[in-house]
Amino acid sequence: MTPSDRRDGTAETVRAARAARAVEAVWRIEAARIVATLTRYVGDFGLAEDLAQEALAAALREWPRSGVPGNPGAWLTTAAKRRAIDGWRRREVAERALALVADAQRAHEAEAAEEAPGDPDAIGDDVLRLVFISCHPVLSREAQLALTLRVVGGLTTAQIARAFLLPVPTVQQRIVRAKQKLAAAEVPFELPAAAERGRRLGGVLGVLYLMFSEGHVATSGPDWMRPELAMEALRLARVVAALMPAEPEVHGLVALMAYTASRFSSRIDAEGHPVLLAEQHRASWDRALIGLGDRALERADAQWARRAAGSGAAGRGDAVSGAYTLQARIAACHASAARFADTDWRRIAEIYRELCAVAPSPVAELNRAIAVAEAEGPLVGLELVERLAGERALAAGHLLPSVRGELLARLGRDDEAAAELDRAAALATNARERAVLCEKAAAVRDRDPGASGP
Amino acid sequence: MKYMLIMRAVDQAAVEEYQQRPFEEIIAEMGAYNESMITAGVMVDGAGLSDASEGAVVDFAAEEPVVTDGPYGELRELFNGYWTLEVSSKEEAIEWARRAPLGAGSQIEVRRVTGPEDFPQDNEWIQKEQEWIAEGKARGN
């Protein structure tokens, strides 16, 4: 090998890597539309997904040589359709082929009719079907997450594996099994009936929120956050919001994610340690994402108001809200406070009260106690926290003892505080969180007896 | 990560020729382009700029800044508008830029938007600027 060979080899590698990244970028943008179109074409979601993946593999082989085509989405769709036709030709079971061809013919006619002057609503509905099928209740949460990221988000198996810190074969298996399960359950490629639409949408939003949370606070491992996963969840929530603009909770979820994501860069210090809300450098909060949150929350509020007006029941101005919208309103209170001291804790405590009524949960009660402690003092907050002592949902986690420890510390009850913080540290599963709690416990032990304050 | 797509005219005559089409058509194409980025969940912000004849350029080449009213004589490149996208990679930003309904005479520059992590956080002016932004003083809206 001469030096120039090696140089060419390196240039080749660089070019191939760049092309691969370009293919990935195209795929993220086009995957949902391609898989949706193919599902309509071949009438089988699992097969459509396989064909789409084959087309992606073909692009990864060909585009580094030929360059990215002018209309990459059309290229990929055509490549996949060609594979479908080849597959049918090769297939020996005539019955199946005939059935598929008949489906394809129907689909083709339907498509030709719809595509006439490009019908974005039809493709939009297909993408929405894809969202619902990926989050179908017959699948486990893990399978829903992986499938949604793959077919709606257009992430590759390797990217999904990275996002969840899993080995690639595990993710591959999860996706294969999910498709088998959908096929076995004969889940149709259609929008849920009106009667179950609300419940199914709740499931979709739950998957997206779980995806966001997984990225926002990693439940295990050394990383405090995996922001890429959370940002992907935000993007997908925006996709669903565009597809279902009349659903207030979708906008509420977008707003909640956008506000939360706006604080990402200030949640970790230069050494990678988490920074609590009170100590965050608010100036570095992402104003563009806060703006996005504001606009989404306005849309959520408008849709809730429209519903209230429509139902007539709550027509006297007091619109009922959903859990995501309420949490977004809380996040908006934080976003609009230029300093921690400016936070409107009374309003936040009030919204938490509404949240506990709409979606009762010990965690929401605990957060309400924190807000009340800020608004009315640590003693009032502590009384609310004590009432949660028997809650089984909080018993095993670090949240209750960490809040209790914090409030006891503020009240100057240092020995009790340190013991609670130790308990919280022992229960924390995230290494970074545990470190913060240990530091706090040590700080409480080290300070002068009787001194108070955080 | 945030990227800005900066739309520039590098050949005004060619741009004008490209725009010799019904205004409705241009608006519709641009609208569809914007909508595709909104429905894909990537567009965060964007704005267009009014005609250069309404503007001015302040040039620092000489000892005293020289002001030229539009259309600026020697200036070869006109900044006409921008989009801000939240995307996963530079390639994704480029792929969106490729889809813009523009013709000969136009260019899109793809640039990453800096965040707090790009600057020394202990600098007094950096801190001040961020506080202005946080308090809304530096915002146009």
Side-chain angles (χ1 to χ4, degrees):
Chain A
M1 201 188 216
T2 68
S4 88
D5 279 346
R6 202 171 303 131
R7 223 178 12 252
D8 288 352
T10 313
E12 186 91 346
T13 316
V14 169
R15 197 160 48 239
R18 193 179 299 147
R21 285 199 302 272
V23 176
E24 275 179 9
V26 167
W27 190 247
R28 279 173 76 87
I29 296 170
E30 300 286 348
R33 295 162 63 93
I34 292 170
V35 177
T37 305
L38 288 171
T39 306
R40 186 170 275 273
Y41 185 65
V42 300
D44 179 325
F45 167 70
L47 177 59
E49 216 275 328
D50 288 346
L51 292 166
Q53 290 296 325
E54 282 176 34
L56 173 63
L60 282 165
R61 277 193 309 274
E62 290 179 32
W63 294 5
R65 272 189 295 110
S66 62
V68 179
N71 187 342
W75 189 100
L76 287 160
T77 309
T78 307
K81 281 185 177 174
R82 206 174 294 140
R83 273 169 176 74
I85 293 163
D86 289 350
W88 294 330
R89 288 199 184 122
R90 277 198 307 270
R91 220 173 288 271
E92 285 167 24
V93 187
E95 232 175 10
R96 178 158 164 73
L98 282 172
L100 286 172
V101 170
D103 281 351
Q105 188 55 37
R106 256 203 315 282
H108 198 68
E109 282 160 14
E111 194 184 34
E114 275 162 10
E115 271 180 357
D119 185 350
D121 288 345
I123 189 76
D125 273 358
D126 277 351
V127 171
L128 199 53
R129 288 185 181 94
L130 209 58
V131 172
F132 277 111
I133 209 171
S134 303
C135 299
H136 198 278
V138 299
L139 302 173
S140 69
R141 270 299 155 107
E142 288 82 7
Q144 292 172 338
L145 283 167
L147 206 56
T148 304
L149 282 169
R150 164 103 140 206
V151 302
V152 187
L155 265 67
T156 61
T157 309
Q159 288 170 328
I160 299 170
R162 232 178 5 251
F164 289 107
L165 312 174
L166 289 169
V168 171
T170 308
V171 174
Q172 253 157 3
Q173 235 173 22
R174 232 171 238 184
I175 288 165
V176 169
R177 288 211 190 114
K179 287 193 288 186
Q180 285 167 350
K181 205 159 186 184
L182 289 170
E186 294 179 3
V187 171
F189 187 63
E190 62 187 24
L191 295 176
E196 56 165 344
R197 189 105 168 224
R199 197 171 46 82
R200 290 283 304 280
L201 177 63
V204 170
L205 300 188
V207 169
L208 295 176
Y209 188 56
L210 188 64
M211 194 186 289
F212 185 84
S213 309
E214 181 69 18
H216 169 52
V217 178
T219 47
S220 61
D223 283 342
W224 169 259
M225 290 198 295
R226 291 195 291 278
E228 305 82 17
L229 184 59
M231 293 312 279
E232 182 60 16
L234 168 59
R235 183 176 80 84
L236 295 179
R238 292 180 72 191
V239 169
V240 178
L243 293 168
M244 305 183 86
E247 293 292 340
E249 276 291 79
V250 189
H251 299 297
L253 180 59
V254 170
L256 174 59
M257 289 178 177
Y259 287 131
T260 310
S262 76
R263 299 179 210 144
F264 277 177
S265 67
S266 58
R267 288 192 61 213
I268 298 176
D269 67 14
E271 283 82 46
H273 299 302
V275 183
L276 299 174
L277 187 64
E279 282 123 43
Q280 281 176 21
H281 188 47
R282 292 180 175 236
S284 64
W285 287 357
D286 187 324
R287 306 314 295 184
L289 286 177
I290 290 175
L292 192 69
D294 290 342
R295 292 192 296 277
L297 185 54
E298 274 167 29
R299 279 195 281 272
D301 286 342
Q303 291 302 331
W304 281 117
R306 198 181 55 84
R307 286 204 174 183
S311 73
R316 280 179 294 279
D318 204 10
V320 191
S321 286
Y324 296 122
T325 305
L326 288 167
Q327 291 175 83
R329 284 190 196 137
I330 292 164
C333 289
H334 290 301
S336 65
R339 293 169 305 168
F340 185 74
D342 298 336
T343 314
D344 187 349
W345 287 107
R346 277 178 203 285
R347 170 145 170 77
I348 291 175
E350 174 55 27
I351 306 172
Y352 268 120
R353 198 187 53 74
E354 283 179 63
L355 181 63
C356 293
V358 169
S361 94
V363 175
E365 291 285 358
L366 188 60
N367 281 316
R368 184 180 157 227
I370 295 170
V372 168
E374 294 289 350
E376 298 173 40
L379 197 58
V380 193
L382 190 61
E383 279 165 15
L384 289 176
V385 170
E386 302 295 4
R387 275 189 233 160
L388 297 169
E391 289 288 349
R392 208 141 27 104
L394 294 172
H398 67 285
L399 281 179
L400 188 65
S402 65
V403 172
R404 213 168 159 257
E406 173 69 34
L407 295 180
L408 286 166
R410 285 190 197 180
L411 289 165
R413 288 154 67 177
D414 289 354
D415 291 345
E416 290 168 86
E420 280 297 291
L421 292 168
D422 282 344
R423 204 153 71 83
L427 291 168
T429 51
N430 181 294
R432 294 275 189 215
E433 259 178 322
R434 190 180 316 127
V436 169
L437 289 163
C438 287
E439 272 170 35
K440 258 195 192 172
V444 170
R445 279 208 181 82
D446 283 352
R447 71 182 176 188
D448 292 336
S452 61
Chain B
M1 52 192 95
K2 236 184 249 106
Y3 275 86
M4 190 179 277
L5 311 187
I6 300 160
M7 178 170 46
R8 294 185 311 194
V10 290
D11 180 346
Q12 196 56 33
V15 170
E16 274 162 23
E17 167 141 6
Y18 181 72
Q19 288 178 343
Q20 288 304 316
R21 292 181 300 148
F23 189 57
E24 294 280 310
E25 205 174 286
I26 296 172
I27 294 278
E29 278 180 8
M30 202 47 99
Y33 176 58
N34 288 336
E35 189 179 28
S36 71
M37 293 194 289
I38 291 166
T39 56
V42 295
M43 186 163 156
V44 181
D45 192 14
L49 302 187
S50 75
D51 199 86
S53 61
E54 296 173 40
V57 163
V58 181
D59 190 330
F60 296 88
E63 198 160 312
E64 283 296 312
V66 175
V67 179
T68 313
D69 284 336
Y72 323 138
E74 290 299 294
L75 195 71
R76 302 308 316 162
E77 296 184 349
L78 278 182
F79 175 4
N80 284 335
Y82 73 94
W83 297 267
T84 309
L85 309 185
E86 178 68 56
V87 289
S88 64
S89 64
K90 182 172 100 179
E91 286 77 12
E92 202 183 329
I94 292 171
E95 185 51 36
W96 282 114
R98 271 165 40 93
R99 296 167 186 227
L102 300 173
S106 294
Q107 281 184 353
I108 287 183
E109 186 177 339
V110 178
R111 300 280 294 271
R112 186 172 66 81
V113 177
T114 55
E117 65 280 6
D118 292 298
F119 296 100
Q121 292 305 302
D122 49 2
N123 179 293
E124 181 196 348
W125 286 104
I126 298 280
Q127 285 174 4
K128 263 194 182 168
E129 185 192 333
Q130 289 178 346
E131 275 151 29
W132 294 330
I133 294 168
E135 288 163 19
K137 286 180 191 164
R139 280 166 91 199
N141 49 0

